[in-house]
Amino acid sequence: MKEFMIGKVVKVIVDRSIGTHHPNHKDLIYSVNYGYVPEFFAPDGEEQDAYILGVNEPVTEFVGKVIAIIHRLNDIEDKWVVAPEDKSFTKEEITNLVAFQEKFFDIEIVI
């Protein structure tokens, strides 16, 4: 699950900015910036996906701290939660902020 990444600073390349539609599911709109962490690979063979919390405008990249790991119990990959270094979120806040997409999965959040 890569819990050792919690607290580490990473760079996220945003490929789905806040307010944009999912490329395959047009009714799903991203309420947070979403992208990937270059050079870190997930079990699906793709670069590690990450949600960016605490940044409420569209960005193309972001450097921040991994504050949580969303472990999908019924999927192969986890999602990292990245935020500005001076911000924190509770499990409940994270759950609510990523519900637009994670509501389709059984998840546990590790902080």
Side-chain angles (χ1 to χ4, degrees):
M1 194 184 316
K2 298 192 178 171
E3 290 99 336
F4 65 89
M5 288 304 298
I6 294 174
K8 304 284 188 204
V9 174
V10 297
K11 178 169 132 178
V12 179
I13 304 299
V14 176
D15 55 5
R16 298 178 193 163
S17 299
I18 191 170
T20 61
H21 295 269
H22 188 282
N24 300 324
H25 306 282
K26 298 300 181 192
D27 57 333
L28 194 152
I29 300 171
Y30 283 81
S31 56
V32 299
N33 289 292
Y34 180 84
Y36 61 92
V37 180
E39 301 178 19
F40 283 90
F41 290 89
D44 65 356
E46 300 292 324
E47 289 174 302
Q48 178 62 54
D49 293 329
Y51 292 104
I52 300 170
L53 304 187
V55 177
N56 298 320
E57 64 275 341
V59 296
T60 57
E61 63 180 47
F62 176 75
V63 175
K65 181 174 61 173
V66 178
I67 62 164
I69 307 288
I70 297 172
H71 179 57
R72 288 181 171 177
L73 302 173
N74 58 340
D75 192 25
I76 191 171
E77 60 181 316
D78 296 334
K79 305 295 182 180
W80 293 0
V81 180
V82 180
E85 291 188 59
D86 62 343
K87 292 194 177 185
S88 63
F89 294 85
T90 65
K91 286 183 182 182
E92 182 178 0
E93 289 170 324
I94 293 169
T95 300
N96 291 336
L97 289 166
V98 301
F100 71 95
Q101 181 164 252
E102 295 304 319
K103 67 184 175 187
F104 302 109
F105 300 92
D106 291 328
I107 64 169
E108 69 178 5
I109 297 174
V110 179
I111 294 184

